[in-house]
Amino acid sequence: MNFEQLLSDYIGRQIEVFLSSNYYTGDLLSTGNGQFTILVTDPSYQTPTEQVTLFSNQVSFVRILAL
């Protein structure tokens, strides 16, 4: 089982993704070959939500948030 297959069990759940120079919080939308997509919401409500595709090899770690 690879990283994306493991993440696919959590589609629809809120996750935190940490990269070496960035941090995202959002809902996991989909997983693919070497990448996954999340719907990012800005906690300040200043900017609209956006879909962000992240490459798995650039991710430091992912945290699945409680329901």
Side-chain angles (χ1 to χ4, degrees):
M1 178 177 286
N2 65 27
F3 181 67
E4 292 80 19
Q5 290 170 333
L6 179 66
L7 273 182
S8 69
D9 290 339
Y10 298 102
I11 289 176
R13 297 270 306 267
Q14 190 171 37
I15 64 172
E16 294 176 335
V17 181
F18 296 85
L19 300 123
S20 61
S21 63
N22 218 341
Y23 160 79
Y24 296 100
T25 299
D27 297 325
L28 181 61
L29 297 178
S30 65
T31 62
N33 189 17
Q35 64 187 17
F36 57 97
T37 303
I38 62 174
L39 182 64
V40 176
T41 54
D42 183 13
S44 69
Y45 303 105
Q46 298 287 331
T47 58
T49 59
E50 63 180 321
Q51 286 187 15
V52 176
T53 299
L54 301 166
F55 296 102
S56 301
N57 63 353
Q58 297 177 345
V59 172
S60 296
F61 70 91
V62 173
R63 182 177 7 201
I64 309 299
L65 300 177
L67 291 175

